[in-house]
């Protein structure tokens, strides 16, 4: 599964969540850690490190849906670290809440078009490191409910790799 993610990411030069600029043709693979891949690139000449996974299971009564990914991104030049985002493979319903459950912890993400963003990235990162699975519930602009289940195996190792590559460790 991660190999498929690697191929897709290299072909599309990362999703809009990471917003890699045209000068970022080089994406360095830092490693594949079970169900998470870790990468480093540049955006406008500035270092950007991110990790990504796709869900083990994607559920919902939809006919077509784009690629689905969870990201954690470091942007050291902007002093932004541990940005958690989800690309749903569709545009979220305006005003909807994206619910995330990791073990006994719950989080609400805010939508922006096809991505959802965490308000409390640090708490979510801690839960992702401690958990084994993450379940994301969303609603598309057409009203289709989805449930995506991500494995968190390899999350901590991938997080450590992007931290080291972006000078956090």
């Amino acid at each position: 599964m991660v190999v498929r993610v690697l191929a897709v990411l290299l072909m599309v030069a990362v999703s809009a969540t990471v917003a890699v600029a045209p000068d970022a043709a080089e994406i360095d693979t830092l490693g594949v850690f079970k169900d998470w891949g870790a990468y480093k690139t540049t955006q406008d000449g500035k270092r950007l490190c991110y990790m990504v996974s796709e869900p083990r299971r994607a559920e919902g009564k939809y006919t077509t849906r784009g690629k689905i990914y969870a990201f954690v991104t470091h942007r050291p030049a902007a002093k932004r670290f541990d940005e958690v985002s989800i690309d749903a493979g569709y545009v979220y319903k305006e005003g909807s809440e994206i619910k995330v459950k990791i073990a006994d912890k719950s989080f609400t993400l805010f939508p922006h078009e096809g991505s959802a963003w965490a308000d409390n990235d640090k708490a979510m990162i801690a839960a992702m490191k401690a958990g084994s699975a993450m379940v994301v519930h969303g609603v598309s602009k057409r009203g289709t409910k989805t449930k995506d289940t991500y494995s968190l195996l390899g999350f901590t190792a991938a997080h450590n790799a992007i931290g080291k590559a972006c000078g956090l460790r």
Side-chain angles (χ1 to χ4, degrees):
M1 172 170 62
V2 172
V3 172
R4 185 175 48 179
V5 171
L6 288 171
V8 169
L9 287 176
L10 292 174
M11 297 270 302
V12 298
V14 192
S15 94
T17 302
V18 178
V20 176
D23 72 339
E26 290 293 318
I27 298 173
D28 295 325
T29 301
L30 302 172
V32 176
F33 306 92
K34 301 197 186 216
D35 294 321
W36 289 82
Y39 308 90
K40 177 178 77 171
T41 190
T42 57
Q43 180 181 32
D44 298 326
K46 296 177 175 98
R47 189 172 21 175
L48 177 104
C49 305
Y50 62 96
M51 53 192 279
V52 63
S53 185
E54 62 182 346
R56 286 280 186 159
R57 187 171 55 234
E59 302 173 67
K61 294 183 180 180
Y62 46 84
T63 52
T64 58
R65 187 174 180 192
K67 294 291 185 180
I68 313 160
Y69 299 111
F71 289 92
V72 175
T73 306
H74 294 328
R75 302 169 194 272
K79 297 186 181 354
R80 292 173 25 208
F81 304 98
D82 288 329
E83 292 180 328
V84 178
S85 61
I86 307 290
D87 279 6
Y90 59 75
V91 175
Y92 286 107
K93 181 177 182 178
E94 191 171 325
S96 67
E97 290 185 337
I98 295 82
K99 299 290 185 183
V100 177
K101 183 91 169 154
I102 304 167
D104 63 343
K105 306 263 192 257
S106 295
F107 302 90
T108 301
L109 279 59
F110 62 91
H112 178 69
E113 297 179 359
S115 296
W117 301 85
D119 276 328
N120 189 342
D121 295 309
K122 295 292 183 196
M124 196 164 170
I125 293 291
M128 292 168 91
K129 284 181 174 182
S132 61
M134 173 175 74
V135 180
V136 180
H137 293 268
V139 180
S140 76
K141 70 178 182 178
R142 294 181 178 179
T144 304
K145 294 179 182 176
T146 60
K147 175 183 173 185
D148 302 319
T149 304
Y150 292 85
S151 165
L152 295 173
L153 294 175
F155 181 89
T156 299
H159 190 259
N160 289 342
I162 68 169
K164 182 178 178 184
C166 269
L168 297 180
R169 291 182 169 65

